[in-house]
Amino acid sequence: MNYSLDVINLYKKFGEKKILQNLQFQLGQGKSLSIVGPSGSGKTTLLRILAGLESPTHGTIMLNGKNVTHHKPNKRNIGLVFQQPLLFPHMTVKENIDYGAKMAGQSSKSKTADLLRAISLNDYADRFPAEISGGQQQRVALARAIASEPEVLLLDEPFSSLDVQLREELRYWVKDFLSQQQTTTIFVTHDLEEAMLMGDHIAIFHEGIFQQLDDADEIHKHPVNPFVARFLKSHLVIDDHQYIPIQSIRSRKPEGEHRSYTAKLLHWTYTLGQKTGHFYIEELHETITMPIGTIGLKEKFSIYLPLEKIQFFQEAGNRK
Amino acid sequence: MIKPMKIIFYSLAILLFIGPVFLLVLQSFTEVWQFSAGQSLTFQLDSYSTLVSDPNIMEATFWSLVIGACVLVINLVIGLLSGKALSSSSFKGKSLLEALFLAPILIPVLAIAMGLHLFMIRIGLADTWTGVVLIHLVPTLPYSIKIFHNAYHQFGNHLLEQAEILGATGFRQLHTIELPLLKPAIRSVTFLTIVISLSQYAITAIIGGGRIITLPLVFFPFLQTANTSLMAAFSVWFALLPFFMYLVVELLLLLLPYTRKPWRNLR
Amino acid sequence: MKSYSSKLWIHLTPALLFLILPFFGIITAVRHSIFADEGFTLNFYQELFQSDRFFSSLAFSIRTSIIATALAIMIGLILVRLFHPYLAKLSPRISVWLPMLFPHFVWGYLVILLLAESGLFAQVLSAIGWIDGTNHFPILTRDPYGFGIIITYVWKEVPFVILMLLPVYAAIPTTSYDVVKTLGGNRWDQFKTVEWPHIQPTLIETCLIIFSFTLTAYEVPALIGTTYPEMVSVLSYQWFYGGSWDERPLAFVVMVCVSIVIFMIALTSYLYLNRRRMRAMRGRL
């Protein structure tokens, strides 16, 4: 059982509202997991419970084999980077980075200097947080979290307060940085693309459990249920049991056996240089997005689903 | 557009606030004014030497400082604790509690002191400086709780959670994060508390029973006998005490971690 | 969760213990006003309500406090409105708050120094020949109309009003003004629709604090007031400390009556503010 983090039957209720329903998962040393789900699904609460800022109603959290469920935040070696950088305004950049390490008794000049260099802010060591930009602040926050050498690092949408361009730059940088540091990380986001980029594995979080936890390929090939399929936006959900990948949908009547539906064009946009339509399938009450390409711009037309391409959701039991 | 407003502002500030204080200070350094008799200003320092050599005034100053310092320390401790509690959690009846903490400002402190008088006699706190400290808490503490509540609210819970995640325990967090960030609140509470404590004649007389002599208790009878220059000097003396206390507090604040040399923050 | 809430109450305990002081004090004051040696009685109230001295004192006190409060609030509000951009800077702010360094009665003494019949203004005016001798200067201190008390309080409380309102004004987003401007509102509309809703709670709170303070504080009227009519605080203090023990219960009755006046006003404004908040939450007015 050499997991960095082992979460067993985690359950959380706020009044009548169930936030976590017997959530289970494990994370190996140096691995990264992205948790993605719609806003307000309780992702932040999950991180706060892991960090110890809130206690679960019941369940167990093991950190490298040690039960830390009832430890206070300062007694469990978990780092958390929030949406906002939350740097201490009365400390310089250097002092901020050093703070966590100092508290853990692991402060060293060379480590702070290394981290400053790693976030390319060595020239800003003696500036105050108010004197550097938002992206720089977020980098300092990250270095500060790393400096205390946490066993698991939690990142709660750390880029959401930055503008789009900065966000993309910082994503790659953080990804590299974290894999260099060999840190075990959980990354929370509502953005599927960001989730695929930041995690070796992706967990799709909804209604208090991981609907599916797999790598990006597997999730796209075999979504386990309609929620996942709809969330990925790469499949048309036919009913509770069947779906078809969007690229298998035809606009011309195929040779073999098939089903057909009427699609109504709602509007169109460009995605990656391709004209993309947003369609409403009346019979299924489903909305899908697919390249217009061969279809041409028509208000209403038929789509064809070859029977051999239709697949069944396979509830792989609950996750291991 | 902007210039004339600025001139108006500074003229008003000088006319209403700076000027009168300047005149008070001027009077304390000059002979009693008799312009109608055609005299001009004659400078003197006698009023201050009389003030400083009066044993009653010096003793009263001492007691005012002792009582003020105690009131201040209690205000800081209780204000900080309850300000933190109020800002860090939400619970049923919190707004009622906030109202209750503010309510003592609205209750006549004279009525409270009269009401507590017999009780203080019974428990042996009447005529003692401890009793006076307690009664001085009534008009000061509501403000301090409010100031600390606002201060904690301003830098927010997340910052403290961040410190906790980085491994700071209660006391270290207080020492390294909260107190340095609370400096402006501590300064405001210092000024407000000392000035209010120095302003209490009636309740100090009631609870102190004439045994505990603070500055206001000397000031009132002085008014009948002393000349204008001496009274002006005495008045200035009242304003010097908060400054003195502020200086002490400021020196103590220098001991906090992450304190810069004062000129670093001016930028 | 449990450990957090127990910590919360540990933090709040000292403040809750402190509350015993004022509330026990005021309850005891009420008890002293309705209990004599022979038990419950309303005699003291009866006695007080037959006293002309009390009623003229009460009327004088309420009138004086209302005038002082209204003037302080209006002047403070005007100053903050006109000058809050300057007041964001430290040195202008300190110059405005200068009077707060002094106890109220010391500021009262300053008023005597400047405005008494032998004060600086009287001397200067008579020296330059605007009035014939200092005895022609209007009587502004220890006067029967409470001018001295009002002047002292207004002067001393204006900085307090500024202190209370400044953060509120600093927090009003400038975009709200722009919205009103683009919709064609004039300056009055800006005040009514943008500023008023923001400042109203603080303004009412400040009003209450100043009113209850000026109504019941002893020091300033003792220094700069006259013997008749006198403020209720002076009357009560005299009865409390007067030669005869018989008058002590009356001192309590006076303070209880004044407290009831303040309580009624505070309750009314609290209910008014709350009702407004409820209506605002329902989204219509």
Side-chain angles (χ1 to χ4, degrees), chain B residues 103-109 111, chain C residues 26 58 62 65 207-217 232 254-270:
Chain B
I105 301 183
L106 298 183
I107 306 174
V109 67
Chain C
I26 190 73
L58 187 66
I62 291 180
S65 314
C207 252
L208 276 175
I209 292 175
I210 298 179
F211 177 75
S212 65
F213 177 78
T214 52
L215 187 62
T216 59
V232 277
V254 172
M255 281 333 279
V256 169
C257 289
V258 178
S259 302
I260 290 171
V261 171
I262 293 170
F263 178 74
M264 298 304 281
I265 296 176
L267 191 69
T268 315
S269 39
Y270 177 77

Side-chain angles (χ1 to χ4, degrees), chain A residues 20-247:
Chain A
L20 301 178
Q21 306 203 49
N22 296 329
L23 189 76
Q24 312 230 30
F25 68 95
Q26 291 82 26
L27 200 56
Q29 161 64 32
K31 293 271 186 274
S32 59
L33 170 71
S34 286
I35 299 177
V36 60
S39 305
S41 56
K43 306 184 295 281
T44 297
T45 307
L46 170 60
L47 287 199
R48 290 175 64 84
I49 290 175
L50 293 181
L53 293 171
E54 259 157 78
S55 12
T57 311
H58 59 70
T60 311
I61 301 164
M62 310 278 283
L63 203 56
N64 283 323
K66 207 171 62 194
N67 186 345
V68 296
T69 318
H70 301 293
H71 289 194
K72 287 186 162 185
N74 50 24
K75 295 278 179 253
R76 49 177 101 178
N77 199 2
I78 290 187
L80 171 56
V81 176
F82 290 85
Q83 291 181 19
Q84 282 81 31
L86 295 174
L87 299 181
F88 304 119
H90 59 298
M91 299 179 196
T92 60
V93 166
K94 195 168 65 186
E95 288 163 345
N96 262 289
I97 295 176
D98 197 33
Y99 186 81
K102 230 179 186 166
M103 291 297 132
Q106 294 163 334
S107 165
S108 85
K109 272 204 172 133
S110 63
K111 179 163 75 180
T112 311
D114 286 347
L115 280 167
L116 269 169
R117 219 169 301 125
I119 60 171
S120 352
L121 285 176
N122 17 2
D123 293 343
Y124 296 80
D126 293 318
R127 299 266 190 113
F128 282 93
E131 300 166 341
I132 58 177
S133 73
Q136 290 170 330
Q137 287 183 21
Q138 199 56 278
R139 262 146 64 193
V140 176
L142 208 71
R144 178 177 63 180
I146 302 267
S148 56
E149 295 174 22
E151 290 166 57
V152 175
L153 178 64
L154 312 175
L155 300 146
D156 185 7
E157 308 215 15
F159 311 132
S160 62
S161 62
L162 305 173
D163 63 53
V164 181
Q165 200 171 356
L166 199 56
R167 193 183 308 169
E168 289 192 350
E169 273 173 41
L170 214 51
R171 270 179 195 164
Y172 299 122
W173 181 86
V174 169
K175 171 87 177 158
D176 286 348
F177 183 65
L178 292 176
S179 59
Q180 264 171 37
Q181 309 280 337
Q182 297 262 310
T183 316
T184 311
T185 43
I186 295 182
F187 188 97
V188 155
T189 176
H190 62 269
D191 180 346
L192 187 61
E193 195 192 326
E194 199 166 84
M196 292 188 288
L197 194 71
M198 301 302 297
D200 306 330
H201 284 82
I202 297 167
I204 298 190
F205 185 73
H206 180 58
E207 292 185 331
I209 52 164
F210 290 161
Q211 303 285 335
Q212 187 165 9
L213 192 165
D214 261 317
D215 59 34
D217 276 343
E218 197 51 35
I219 285 189
H220 277 88
K221 267 186 211 144
H222 304 293
V224 294
N225 61 30
F227 176 82
V228 174
R230 288 190 188 109
F231 190 81
L232 298 174
K233 293 195 163 70
S234 51
H235 305 276
L236 172 61
V237 176
I238 297 165
D239 55 35
D240 281 356
H241 311 287
Q242 302 177 82
Y243 67 94
I244 183 167
I246 279 180
Q247 66 264 33

Side-chain angles (χ1 to χ4, degrees), chain C residues 25-46:
Chain C
I26 190 73
I27 289 168
T28 316
V30 174
R31 225 183 49 216
H32 282 306
S33 77
I34 49 175
F35 278 103
D37 294 336
E38 58 278 6
F40 176 79
T41 174
L42 285 176
N43 286 350
F44 304 131
Y45 283 85
Q46 258 171 4

Side-chain angles (χ1 to χ4, degrees), chain B residues 73-143:
Chain B
V73 169
I74 298 174
N75 264 274
L76 290 176
V77 172
I78 300 185
L80 192 140
L81 285 175
S82 41
K84 182 174 180 174
L86 287 175
S87 77
S88 66
S89 44
S90 55
F91 49 89
K92 231 178 169 182
K94 183 172 140 183
S95 63
L96 182 74
L97 201 60
E98 282 173 45
L100 271 182
F101 284 144
L102 267 183
I105 301 183
L106 298 183
I107 306 174
V109 67
L110 196 57
I112 296 170
M114 289 174 176
L116 288 176
H117 180 233
L118 274 181
F119 175 72
M120 291 273 199
I121 291 175
R122 212 171 305 138
I123 60 171
L125 283 177
D127 304 0
T128 66
W129 62 272
T130 325
V132 175
V133 168
L134 282 179
I135 198 70
H136 280 196
L137 290 179
V138 176
T140 50
L141 200 49
Y143 287 109

